[in-house]
């Protein structure tokens, strides 16, 4: 950049300099560009500034050699460009703290008081000459590690596991049984780009998970792939609000995936956070605590797992992409996105107590493609945290999924369903009904496999048709016999 002197002449400086002057005097070379701060920042300023809690979620990108920022004023396609992309800046106004292309500078700073603003001009720096001999950088090495990764169908839309056994699970993941892994899954409405997000966040844009421009959902069931870079089992799920003939089973399947996950990404592509996001996470939390914590403990004991399954739910990252609206926390300096989200939960009467943490990560896409670098950094930070959920062998992951699938499976009668929440009790409790009084069994699904009898939450009534009396004793009074009996329910599976 260069400074414009009193005579209006511009002298070029050797590189892009820090525009913050927060931890430096402005003499250090810029290393990052922050979208929210709208400045180029040196290494020191970037670190000191974004240690503050209200600035931690800012989107920053590292500046490559020869980098010139985009024009801050252009919306794209209105400056003689035919592609609709924003042009690069030619100058920066130090008074307005904005970057301007030549057309915008002429339009906004050619008259009035702005004509006297201090202007610096950009120059395109020459990239350093490549060193002799091949040199593979870290990104290229990681990208090469994911070249052979393929996804496979883990569970179909009818909740049937599509791997034969633990050995088949390891073979399809293409990992070692001694590897210590974590599980990352993604949820969201159909068409919001869940598969696309996973492909760019974990696999450098390769189409490991199928994507499609068609109206129909391209992800049916649950698909999985192994990320060898982060040592993560990545799980892609079927979208919410999509057309399906197995709505109840699909929704129950999502909670099974959530139960084995260490980190959940809720992907939403909307200018504002809608209520269905908060209702889904709130209802999932309630169902997890009510039905899954007990089963996870039992699975640990029943399967003799070396690593206990955490009864505390996974961490959640809400990945929010906007186009026309500002991100949470960017409008007010004192506004913390996570606190805003907690307030929304409370207003809707939902309490996500099952999740170990909830984080917000937003990105505003002025022009495609979407920037996933901020999401990737957030995921890496959460994966490094082993406080509540530690890495485990892939065999443990398979056994947990198998145990939950065996426990919570079977048909869900539609006429017994309550649709007031995403995860009603009917998804997880026994569907047997008493023929005598009509009460439902309160035990979990498939409890009879463990020799546990049906049990209702209220007392049954006597029915002559089923003669459901059990005599416990007889007493005599004045020569007459009286039967003292209890009434037992006559349970049958709901047809």
């Amino acid at each position: 950049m260069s400074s414009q002197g009193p005579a209006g002449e511009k002298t070029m400086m050797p590189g892009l300099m820090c525009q913050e002057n927060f931890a430096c005097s402005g003499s250090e070379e810029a290393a990052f560009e922050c979208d929210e701060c709208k400045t180029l920042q040196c290494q020191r300023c970037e670190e000191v500034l974004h240690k503050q809690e209200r600035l931690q979620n800012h989107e920053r990108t590292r500046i490559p050699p020869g980098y010139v920022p985009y024009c801050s004023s252009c919306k794209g396609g209105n400056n003689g460009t035919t592609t609709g992309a924003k042009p690069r800046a030619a100058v920066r106004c130090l008074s307005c703290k904005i970057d301007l292309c030549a057309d915008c500078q002429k339009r906004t700073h050619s008259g009035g008081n702005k004509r006297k603003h201090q202007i610096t001009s950009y120059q395109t720096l020459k990239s350093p000459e490549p060193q002799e001999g091949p040199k593979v950088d870290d990104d290229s090495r990681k990208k090469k590690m994911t070249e052979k990764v393929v996804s496979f169908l883990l569970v179909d839309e009818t909740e049937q596991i599509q791997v034969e056994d633990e050995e088949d699970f390891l073979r399809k993941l293409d990992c070692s049984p001694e590897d210590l892994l974590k599980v990352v899954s993604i949820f969201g409405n159909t068409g919001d780009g869940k598969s696309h997000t996973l492909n760019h966040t974990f696999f450098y844009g390769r189409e490991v998970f199928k994507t499609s421009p068609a109206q129909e959902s391209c992800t049916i069931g649950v698909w999985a792939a192994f990320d060898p870079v982060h040592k993560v089992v990545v799980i892609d799920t079927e979208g919410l609000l999509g057309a399906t003939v197995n709505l109840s089973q699909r929704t129950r399947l999502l909670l099974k995936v959530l139960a084995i996950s260490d980190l959940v990404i809720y992907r939403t592509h909307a200018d504002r956070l809608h209520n269905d996001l908060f209702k889904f996470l709130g209802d999932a939390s309630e169902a997890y605590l009510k039905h899954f914590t007990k089963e996870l403990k039992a699975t640990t004991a029943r399967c003799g797992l070396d690593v206990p399954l955490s009864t505390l739910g996974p961490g959640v990252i809400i990945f929010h992409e906007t186009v026309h609206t500002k991100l949470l926390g960017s409008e007010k300096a004192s506004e913390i996105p996570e606190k805003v989200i907690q307030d929304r939960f409370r207003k809707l009467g939902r309490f996500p107590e099952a999740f170990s943490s909830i984080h917000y990560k937003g990105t505003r896409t002025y022009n495609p493609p979407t920037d996933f670098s901020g999401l990737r950094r957030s995921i890496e930070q959460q994966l490094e945290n082993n406080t509540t959920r530690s890495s485990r062998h892939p065999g443990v992951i398979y056994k947990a999924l198998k145990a939950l699938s065996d426990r919570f499976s079977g048909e869900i009668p539609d006429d017994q369903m309550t649709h007031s929440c995403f995860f009603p009790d009917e998804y997880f409790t026994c569907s047997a009904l008493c023929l005598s009084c009509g009460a439902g069994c309160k035990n979990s699904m498939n409890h009879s496999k463990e020799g546990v009898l049906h049990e209702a939450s209220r007392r049954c009534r006597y029915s002559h048709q089923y003669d459901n009396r059990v005599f416990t004793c007889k007493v005599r009074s004045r020569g007459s016999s009286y039967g003292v009996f209890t009434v037992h329910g006559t349970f049958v599976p709901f047809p």
Side-chain angles (χ1 to χ4, degrees), residues 120-225:
T120 60
S121 64
Y122 289 105
Q123 66 170 337
T124 303
L125 302 178
K126 294 183 179 180
S127 301
E129 295 182 2
Q131 299 178 356
E132 294 183 1
K135 182 180 179 181
V136 181
D137 60 14
D138 192 49
D139 282 344
S140 299
R141 179 184 61 82
K142 292 178 179 178
K143 187 175 181 179
K144 190 174 181 63
M145 291 173 65
T146 63
E147 285 181 352
K148 296 182 179 180
V149 175
V150 293
S151 62
F152 62 94
L153 182 62
L154 180 59
V155 187
D156 66 13
E157 66 273 20
T158 61
E159 300 182 281
Q160 299 298 314
I161 296 182
Q162 298 300 298
V163 290
E164 297 177 0
D165 49 28
E166 184 179 330
E167 185 177 344
D168 189 32
F169 182 64
L170 290 169
R171 182 180 59 80
K172 289 185 176 180
L173 283 179
D174 193 20
C175 67
S176 168
E178 301 303 319
D179 285 340
L180 292 174
L181 313 178
K182 286 192 174 183
V183 180
V184 177
S185 57
I186 192 166
F187 297 87
N189 292 336
T190 183
D192 273 358
K194 298 182 298 301
S195 303
H196 179 75
T197 299
L198 294 180
N199 290 337
H200 283 267
T201 303
F202 292 97
F203 304 109
Y204 299 89
R206 284 188 59 245
E207 192 168 321
V208 173
F209 295 103
K210 183 182 177 182
T211 60
S212 171
Q215 284 291 324
E216 295 78 14
S217 176
C218 58
T219 303
I220 304 298
V222 173
W223 292 73

Side-chain angles (χ1 to χ4, degrees), residues 370-389:
T370 304
D371 181 14
F372 295 102
S373 59
L375 174 63
R376 188 182 300 113
R377 285 195 300 269
S378 295
I379 291 173
E380 289 171 348
Q381 290 173 0
Q382 294 303 311
L383 291 176
E384 290 174 0
N385 183 6
N386 295 312
T387 306
T388 55
R389 300 179 74 97

Side-chain angles (χ1 to χ4, degrees), residues 33-166:
E33 181 179 26
C34 179
D35 292 341
E36 278 82 4
C37 296
K38 294 182 171 56
T39 57
L40 303 179
Q41 301 167 2
C42 66
Q43 184 80 35
R44 284 199 298 158
C45 287
E46 189 273 337
E47 289 179 359
V48 175
L49 272 171
H50 295 97
K51 281 182 180 178
Q52 303 176 58
E53 187 176 10
R54 63 185 179 85
L55 304 179
Q56 286 179 355
N57 289 323
H58 281 192
E59 291 285 345
R60 287 100 70 193
T61 53
R62 183 172 286 277
I63 297 175
Y67 178 78
V68 174
Y70 290 101
C71 176
S72 304
S73 182
C74 288
K75 299 297 182 183
N78 58 350
N79 291 278
T81 60
T82 58
T83 61
K86 293 174 69 174
R88 297 285 180 177
V91 298
R92 178 175 178 81
C93 177
L94 299 181
S95 302
C96 300
K97 291 188 176 181
I98 57 173
D99 300 304
L100 300 169
C101 63
D103 290 340
C104 288
Q105 180 196 8
K106 183 178 180 180
R107 177 170 52 85
T108 61
H109 284 66
S110 59
N113 291 332
K114 289 187 177 181
R115 188 177 182 181
K116 301 177 182 179
H117 284 188
Q118 187 178 2
I119 299 293
T120 60
S121 64
Y122 289 105
Q123 66 170 337
T124 303
L125 302 178
K126 294 183 179 180
S127 301
E129 295 182 2
Q131 299 178 356
E132 294 183 1
K135 182 180 179 181
V136 181
D137 60 14
D138 192 49
D139 282 344
S140 299
R141 179 184 61 82
K142 292 178 179 178
K143 187 175 181 179
K144 190 174 181 63
M145 291 173 65
T146 63
E147 285 181 352
K148 296 182 179 180
V149 175
V150 293
S151 62
F152 62 94
L153 182 62
L154 180 59
V155 187
D156 66 13
E157 66 273 20
T158 61
E159 300 182 281
Q160 299 298 314
I161 296 182
Q162 298 300 298
V163 290
E164 297 177 0
D165 49 28
E166 184 179 330

Side-chain angles (χ1 to χ4, degrees), residues 5 22 147 181 285 369 375 393 426 435:
F22 188 79
E147 285 181 352
L181 313 178
S285 172
L375 174 63
H393 297 301
E426 289 85 351
L435 292 176

Side-chain angles (χ1 to χ4, degrees), residues 286-305:
E286 183 179 354
Y288 183 92
L289 292 174
K290 190 172 184 179
H291 301 286
F292 277 70
T293 51
K294 180 181 177 181
E295 185 58 32
L296 288 172
K297 289 180 180 178
T299 301
T300 301
R302 187 166 56 247
C303 299
L305 302 180

Side-chain angles (χ1 to χ4, degrees), residues 14-29:
L16 300 178
M17 308 308 293
C18 179
Q19 298 168 351
E20 275 293 347
N21 302 342
F22 188 79
C24 69
S25 59
S27 59
E28 296 189 18
E29 190 169 346

